[in-house]
Amino acid sequence: MKVLARLPLRPTLSSMRRHRLTVVLLLLQVAFTFAIVCNASFLLARRIRRVTVPSGLVEAGLSLVHVSEPGHGRTAAAAQADVAALRALADVQGAAIVDGLPLSGGASAFGTCGDLDAVHQVLKAHSMNVPGCGEPASFRVGPGALRVLGLRLVAGRDFRDQEYAPGHARNNVSGVPAVIVSRALARRLFGQGHAVGRMVYFGHTGFAEGVGCKVVGVVEHLQRWSLHAGSDDEAMLVPSVPAGPTTYFAVRSPPAQQARVLRDAEALLSRRHPDRAGADAGGQTYAQIRADYFQRDATMVGLLLSSAVGLLFVTALGIAGLASFWVQQRRRSIGVRRAMGATRADIMLQFQAENLLVVVAGVALGVVAAYALSAALMRSYELPLLPLGYVPGVFVLLLLVGQLAVLAPALRAAAVPPIVVSRG
Amino acid sequence: MFAYYLELAWHSLARTRVLTLLMVLAIALGIGASMTMLTVLHVMSGDPLPGLSGRLYRPYLDPLPLSYKPSDYGPDPRDDLTWPDAMALLRARKGVRQAAMAGGDLTVASADRMRPGRVSGRYTTRDLFAMFGVPFVAGSAWSPEDDAGRARVVVLSRSLARQLFAGDDALGRTVTLEGHVFRVVGVVRDWHPRPLFYADSSARRFSATDRFFLPLSTAVALRLPGNGDFSGWGHDSTSLTSPTMTWLQFWVQLNGADQVRAYRRFLHAYADNQFEAGRYQRPASNARLYSLMGWLHHQRVIPGDVRLQAWLALGFLCVCMLNIVALLLAKFLRRSAEISVRRALGARRRDVFAQLGVEAGLLGLGGGVLGLVLAQVGLWSVRARPDDYAHMARMDPLMLLATFVLAVTASTLAGLVPAWRACRIPPALQLKTL
């Protein structure tokens, strides 16, 4: 309380009024920095949320290997033989045929409806925007995929061996007897009710012939192939062993041996399908797939962070520079104050108080600037409005930066001896 | 006087070394960040075909049913044409030249050498070569009879021809594409306009190259695989010649504004006919003609991230410049004694103003040099990105010059207010307290 009483408010304000121009410049600088740092932090938080989105798989120890052969597609028998060979490798806990993984890019999605009425509405309206219908991502998988990927079943069961249908080329998935859906998809198609045992309709058989597939299981979470806004976890597993020129295998191993198992798997596939016949084998760990998918976001995160830090640094430079200029200008008045009984702490407090006032005023202006900037970003980049929570956080940050920047000049001011006055 | 001011400025900057260094650093950071992002924007918005791009146009038709709502998860089908529309436009021959095309990925093998691999290229009608000025090193484009007659002929890029036939002449030899035998009728230089404006939105426009070209009719007859967007909305959307699936890109060459107007009228008339015939449900006014650069803008070739980064860099430059204004003000006001002496000796206000302006400009020059170094570091980090435009991030002489111009201009502008404030210092008052 005694400190507050000694806060020299009136001398501070009057000295600032004498240096109007520099104070206004400092205000503007603080305001702009506040606006940019607030919005940059908001964008940063969004990107980090995007980069850490869960895939629904158990990612540690999961790898994706592939082999491609020219021509019109590999036979199911060839693919099964490859899977069996992969399972026989040392340290492989499981292997299964898939046609891709979440976040590996690519796309395969079918308009899907939960009942025949919805199907008719869709056909009439020429749009999937009908209640009870969605456009989930579809993953075609072979036997054992659920366990290898580490997906968590919350209802129902895995596919039975006889439910796997041999695949057709391209994206034809007709004739599958069963599907497993993600919980979000179940909620969209069937609301809060049970999904296991209900029928879904998709593809040619669903929409043209009205023949549906039974839902036999619901998994907790399964991410789409690529991220878009909203409905990112609506996906389904289709037990249709994919056929085509390239076959992908998901391989699970203990995380410690993952690199070696990946190399062994690639070598095995290369041996079985030699280079000279035109085959090509390769693979990645899931961690690499994830890093590749989010590379652009990682760059953006780095840029946003470095610009925010750079801006705070430049503002600190400005505050320190101006404060030392003021210390030099006011040597005489400081000496007078000291001669009249002010302690060193009083002088320091005066400078810190000036800085506090400038930062508070600057932030007040900066809030307006921040929301103006946020409105412009909303229009150009389809972002939501800046949440209020960032304002106090960045305010405290700027306050700290300001106080630290003015520390050295304030110490120098406090060191001015009282004797200077008498020299006239 | 200018040389004198330079000398004065140099001495003044050397006297306050720390402050000068801080200011140069601040300018350099702002300039470096801005020039990095502006260079990236500059290379991405460049003209892919200088000299020819002004004559190339892209028709846009709207065959979608009225009730169609575009899905969130795919491209706009209207960015491409359906087979019947493209063939009708080709047959009408309303432009100087016109071509329909689509991308494809094929496995290619030669009789003896190369092991089979996949390459991407274009299925197109023959006018593409003349329209885009594709340079041939051997042979030429296929004949119009080959074009319509589904002939099995192919034009290869030089790098692919070298890979398949080593040093031998590739003309007249045969290659196996996706199991079918094709005859090579031409070899083109490695030609890749940046961005690859004639590809559809699924292509990597800044790094992809077409390594073969073959007739569109052949590709459809043999059902060769495509590598672009195929968007269908009807029941019979699986056939390539279906009227309810779009997958073709169409370019037309028009010389002069009269031809452009005439082609626009033709497009509207065509859309009207289709509307009357019941094929189109949407009004004919939806049909449009885009210029090449207009089409690149419509397709948003520059990703939103890049634009955001450019704005961020410019905002950073603004804050740095505000900083410079404040520091310059402090610096000039600190020299009131020296300025008042000059004024007392007869300098007018505008002389003092000029002197301080030169000092600010010199500061900007120093900041520009350091900023150039920082910009090169920034561009090097951009080149390390895996994006398809990353490899193009290099400064050309224009951007080099722009760096210095920006640095000196910004600093001089920043020094205007401080210089004006300082030149108002009256001479007499200060002499008393010297």
Side-chain angles (χ1 to χ4, degrees), chain B residues 302-428:
Chain B
I302 300 181
D305 269 3
V306 173
R307 279 182 288 135
L308 190 62
Q309 287 163 15
W311 282 114
L312 195 59
L314 285 175
F316 192 70
L317 181 65
C318 271
V319 174
C320 285
M321 280 305 140
L322 266 179
N323 204 349
I324 296 299
V325 173
L327 289 176
L328 275 178
L329 188 61
K331 185 169 200 293
F332 292 163
L333 287 181
R334 213 190 304 202
R335 284 157 52 195
S336 342
E338 173 198 326
I339 294 173
S340 69
V341 169
R342 260 206 95 205
R343 293 269 277 132
L345 288 177
R348 297 160 295 183
R349 281 200 201 161
R350 70 186 86 135
D351 296 324
V352 176
F353 188 80
Q355 172 199 350
L356 297 177
V358 166
E359 189 165 331
L362 190 62
L363 206 61
L365 200 64
V369 170
L370 187 58
L372 190 65
V373 172
L374 288 180
Q376 295 292 6
V377 170
L379 285 173
W380 172 81
S381 80
V382 170
R383 283 200 293 275
R385 293 189 199 169
D387 295 304
D388 67 339
Y389 60 81
H391 66 101
M392 290 170 56
R394 259 164 233 282
M395 268 203 188
D396 56 4
L398 180 65
M399 283 286 121
L400 222 68
L401 187 64
T403 308
F404 286 106
V405 168
L406 183 64
V408 172
T409 313
S411 306
T412 314
L413 277 175
L416 278 183
V417 170
W420 173 81
R421 177 70 186 77
C423 76
R424 286 191 333 167
I425 294 172

Side-chain angles (χ1 to χ4, degrees), chain A residues 47 231 296 314 317-318 328, chain B residues 22 73 305 309 323 334 387:
Chain A
R47 288 289 167 144
S231 69
R296 215 174 264 176
V314 164
L317 269 183
Q328 247 190 338
Chain B
L22 283 179
Y73 302 106
D305 269 3
Q309 287 163 15
N323 204 349
R334 213 190 304 202
D387 295 304

Side-chain angles (χ1 to χ4, degrees), chain B residues 8-300:
Chain B
L8 279 181
W10 178 258
H11 282 303
S12 149
L13 288 176
R15 257 203 312 268
T16 55
R17 252 181 288 250
V18 173
L19 188 61
T20 306
L21 233 63
L22 283 179
M23 288 198 277
V24 167
L25 184 64
I27 299 179
L29 279 177
I31 295 287
S34 309
M35 286 318 294
T36 305
M37 293 324 302
L38 286 178
T39 305
V40 170
L41 267 184
H42 172 76
V43 297
M44 288 181 79
S45 19
D47 189 342
L49 276 188
L52 293 174
S53 61
R55 300 186 311 200
L56 296 173
Y57 291 84
R58 172 91 181 235
Y60 175 96
L61 294 170
D62 196 349
L64 292 176
L66 271 173
S67 49
Y68 184 94
K69 270 182 265 304
S71 145
D72 285 334
Y73 302 106
D76 186 354
R78 292 166 291 182
D79 282 346
D80 293 327
L81 294 185
T82 62
W83 174 269
D85 285 335
M87 291 301 119
L89 291 181
L90 268 181
R91 273 193 299 267
R93 304 187 141 271
K94 285 292 180 187
V96 174
R97 296 191 177 103
Q98 46 267 314
M101 59 199 77
D105 279 340
L106 299 178
T107 47
V108 61
S110 72
D112 40 308
R113 295 205 82 247
M114 183 187 133
R115 66 173 188 81
R118 292 192 86 81
V119 291
S120 45
R122 205 117 319 244
Y123 312 136
T124 174
T125 57
R126 64 183 297 273
D127 270 352
L128 175 146
F129 301 100
M131 267 208 302
F132 297 163
V134 185
F136 277 86
V137 294
S140 66
W142 51 84
S143 63
E145 294 78 36
D146 287 338
D147 211 17
R150 310 167 180 189
R152 301 197 183 182
V153 291
V154 68
V155 169
L156 300 177
S157 74
R158 186 156 56 175
S159 62
L160 186 59
R162 273 210 195 104
Q163 247 184 312
L164 291 171
F165 302 112
D168 312 332
D169 189 14
L171 271 187
R173 305 278 297 266
T174 56
V175 285
T176 313
L177 298 169
E178 206 75 9
H180 305 281
V181 176
F182 281 75
R183 187 170 46 91
V184 177
V185 294
V187 178
V188 295
R189 224 176 320 171
D190 285 327
W191 172 79
H192 42 74
R194 294 279 170 248
L196 207 69
F197 62 92
Y198 58 82
D200 70 1
S201 57
S202 67
R204 282 169 71 88
R205 286 198 162 111
F206 292 98
S207 53
T209 308
D210 284 331
R211 306 186 72 196
F212 67 83
F213 300 85
L214 56 91
L216 186 62
S217 53
T218 317
V220 170
L222 296 177
R223 285 210 286 273
L224 297 179
N227 68 0
D229 296 324
F230 288 77
S231 314
W233 62 87
H235 291 286
D236 52 343
S237 301
T238 45
S239 153
L240 287 174
T241 55
S242 149
T244 56
M245 183 165 75
T246 61
W247 60 288
L248 288 167
Q249 295 87 53
F250 195 93
W251 289 88
V252 59
Q253 179 184 334
L254 300 166
N255 302 339
D258 290 330
Q259 294 193 2
V260 174
R261 269 195 298 269
Y263 203 88
R264 266 206 192 97
R265 277 197 301 268
F266 159 68
L267 271 184
H268 283 139
Y270 175 80
D272 251 333
N273 283 345
Q274 299 295 309
F275 186 77
E276 302 293 325
R279 245 205 77 212
Y280 280 15
Q281 296 180 18
R282 296 185 176 200
S285 50
N286 282 5
R288 274 173 254 163
L289 188 65
Y290 283 95
S291 65
L292 191 149
M293 298 308 283
W295 180 251
L296 291 179
H297 182 76
H298 169 79
Q299 289 256 284
R300 301 207 186 171

Side-chain angles (χ1 to χ4, degrees), chain A residues 207-279:
Chain A
F207 277 69
E209 299 171 15
V211 173
C213 300
K214 194 155 67 122
V215 174
V216 298
V218 177
V219 292
E220 180 172 15
H221 183 74
L222 180 60
Q223 188 63 251
R224 300 182 85 95
W225 292 76
S226 337
L227 292 181
H228 291 272
S231 69
D232 269 332
D233 49 358
E234 290 182 8
M236 60 185 184
L237 293 176
V238 175
S240 162
V241 179
T246 307
T247 313
Y248 292 91
F249 304 95
V251 175
R252 180 163 291 285
S253 57
Q257 274 89 23
Q258 191 176 12
R260 189 179 51 76
V261 167
L262 183 59
R263 271 198 310 271
D264 290 344
E266 285 180 43
L268 172 76
L269 289 174
S270 294
R271 259 199 320 274
R272 290 172 61 86
H273 307 280
D275 221 30
R276 50 188 157 75

